[in-house]
Amino acid sequence: TTEIYTLSLHDALPILVKRFRSKVNTGRRRLFAELGAFPPPLNAMATTQYLSRADCARSLPMLSEYAPWLLADFFGCHDSQFLSEFALAWLLINAYTLITDDLLDRSDVRGSQHLLIASGLILQRGLTTLYSVVPLTAALRSQVNECFGHLASAVAAEVTTRDQAREHGPLHKIHSLALCAACIRAANDGCAISEEELAIMDRLANGLQELDDLMDWYEDWRAGHFTNPLRMCFNHLLTDSADEAVEPTALSREEVASALVLTGSFEASLRLVQRQFKSIIATSRRSQRSVLVEYLRSVVNELDFASRNAKEIRSNYVGERKCVNIRLLRTFVRDKTAKKEVYRLLNRIQVQGN
């Protein structure tokens, strides 16, 4: 299984990684040099924490690290000198968001007090570098303020509601990709990013977030963080099984994995990702040959296969039922063949997601 997984992951290496890998590696070296200049022990702790994300054994280099080059290609910006300088600012801001995310989500982060201090220093250096390489127009300053305000509001809302398994509907998350895009547009032609372009960035961020949540279902479930796929799953399952009052934490890993597929929440999440990405492809008229659009086309095709596979499993074992109760779920889990099909499907999404 490990060999097959590794080969599949290698074959799935997207074009954007091949195209921009050397530039990302150069940007990373500059980022680590910047972190290394921090006073000890903040330098070592910030670098170690960033690498615990960036070198995660189950993933390729983080997609957010590719954002400057990926979005510059999408918007037709080819100023290599600007991109080299802007990339450092972006990687610093990205590092700040990742470390803050770890401090909020994880209780096992070592040296959290030092990391909190380091994160403030990382953000300060990132913004200082940013304002030295982008034109300081009133429109861009307003967009920077708006992006950070929306990001803080969205994260605060997530922290408040993520432990509510029965909450309906996905959390509305606004991501810093819009900030990256706005800076590139301002530097490329002096124009403010349009509402249509901001909508594209929002769809991209929401689609990637949903796919990431689907990949991380086990870690989120263990931590009691109920992201959209888990929330849809438990809303459906618990509503149908109210007489048993089963709480999500009382289920086994096999039961949660199976419930994601049998309740249809797995398919629903994939359809949400596909809708977001298809909309980007359809509305990006001037960027049809960009690496981003080409990448999204391949993702949509791969997810279409996984969605059909999930529907087939659900149809075979649930039929036309709209609800899945706990008794049916536990009968399904005892079927070794059925359980194997579910894990094969989830592993496939793990590979495609990576």
Side-chain angles (χ1 to χ4, degrees):
T1 303
T2 303
E3 184 178 354
I4 292 170
Y5 179 87
T6 304
L7 287 171
S8 299
L9 183 59
H10 177 75
D11 292 342
L13 193 67
I15 185 173
L16 67 92
V17 176
K18 296 176 182 177
R19 172 89 171 266
F20 303 125
R21 172 181 277 170
S22 64
K23 293 181 174 63
V24 171
N25 287 338
T26 300
R28 267 191 171 190
R29 286 193 291 271
R30 294 187 66 191
L31 170 66
F32 295 146
E34 191 75 26
L35 297 181
F38 287 5
L42 304 182
N43 49 4
M45 299 189 77
T47 302
T48 300
Q49 189 62 33
Y50 185 85
L51 285 173
S52 73
R53 277 292 195 105
D55 289 345
C56 184
R58 68 173 176 78
S59 68
L60 297 166
M62 293 178 291
L63 188 59
S64 58
E65 295 179 313
Y66 288 78
W69 297 278
L70 187 65
L71 296 184
D73 176 72
F74 181 78
F75 288 116
C77 174
H78 305 293
D79 185 340
S80 57
Q81 181 62 37
F82 161 74
L83 286 174
S84 175
E85 296 302 319
F86 172 68
L88 176 59
W90 169 256
L91 290 174
L92 283 163
I93 293 171
N94 183 56
Y96 160 75
T97 62
L98 293 176
I99 290 176
T100 302
D101 187 54
D102 285 341
L103 290 172
L104 288 172
D105 283 354
R106 297 170 52 185
S107 58
D108 61 343
V109 174
R110 298 181 62 184
S112 58
Q113 293 176 325
H114 286 99
L115 281 174
L116 182 61
I117 299 169
S119 69
L121 196 54
I122 292 170
L123 179 60
Q124 177 266 318
R125 297 293 168 83
L127 291 175
T128 300
T129 306
L130 177 69
Y131 287 136
S132 71
V133 297
V134 297
L136 289 176
T137 63
L140 183 60
R141 280 197 295 267
S142 175
Q143 285 178 332
V144 171
N145 290 339
E146 187 175 351
C147 283
F148 274 99
H150 284 163
L151 184 62
S153 177
V155 172
E158 181 185 357
V159 170
T160 303
T161 62
R162 66 185 175 188
D163 61 345
Q164 299 174 12
R166 303 183 190 218
E167 184 75 16
H168 287 274
L171 292 168
H172 181 64
K173 298 180 180 180
I174 299 176
H175 309 271
S176 50
L177 278 178
L179 172 62
C180 185
C183 292
I184 290 171
R185 286 290 277 121
N188 188 38
D189 52 20
C191 296
I193 190 169
S194 68
E195 290 299 319
E196 182 181 2
E197 290 165 338
L198 281 173
I200 288 174
M201 292 301 103
D202 198 36
R203 294 185 199 110
L204 177 61
N206 287 333
L208 291 172
Q209 183 66 57
E210 187 74 14
L211 186 55
D212 184 64
D213 288 344
L214 197 56
M215 291 169 58
D216 291 344
W217 70 267
Y218 178 65
E219 292 92 335
D220 290 331
W221 169 66
R222 283 286 301 273
H225 299 163
F226 296 104
T227 54
N228 191 49
L230 289 171
R231 186 173 288 115
M232 286 192 295
C233 172
F234 292 129
N235 279 341
H236 194 163
L237 187 64
L238 293 178
T239 299
D240 184 56
S241 308
D243 58 316
E244 296 188 25
V246 176
E247 290 299 323
T249 52
L251 300 175
S252 68
R253 176 177 181 169
E254 290 78 11
E255 288 168 344
V256 176
S258 300
L260 281 167
V261 175
L262 294 184
T263 60
S265 62
F266 182 88
E267 292 169 64
S269 284
L270 291 183
R271 286 196 299 269
L272 189 154
V273 175
Q274 288 179 298
R275 282 198 303 272
Q276 301 283 8
F277 290 173
K278 284 179 179 179
S279 178
I280 295 171
I281 294 168
T283 55
S284 302
R285 292 178 294 276
R286 292 180 298 176
S287 306
Q288 287 297 306
R289 296 185 179 181
S290 67
V291 175
L292 176 60
V293 171
E294 186 175 344
Y295 168 60
L296 294 181
R297 284 197 188 100
S298 68
V299 172
V300 166
N301 291 335
E302 292 289 342
L303 295 185
D304 188 53
F305 178 85
S307 183
R308 291 198 305 270
N309 192 190
K311 184 176 182 180
E312 182 180 353
I313 294 173
R314 190 164 56 87
S315 298
N316 288 342
Y317 291 94
V318 182
E320 297 301 319
R321 292 186 183 92
K322 293 184 178 180
C323 296
V324 177
N325 59 44
I326 296 297
R327 295 185 186 89
L328 177 61
L329 175 63
R330 287 174 175 162
T331 300
F332 177 88
V333 169
R334 286 194 293 270
D335 185 330
K336 292 183 179 180
T337 302
K339 189 166 63 174
K340 187 182 294 184
E341 287 186 52
V342 166
Y343 272 101
R344 186 183 293 119
L345 175 62
L346 293 178
N347 285 337
R348 181 180 178 84
I349 283 297
Q350 193 76 45
V351 171
Q352 291 171 352
N354 280 325

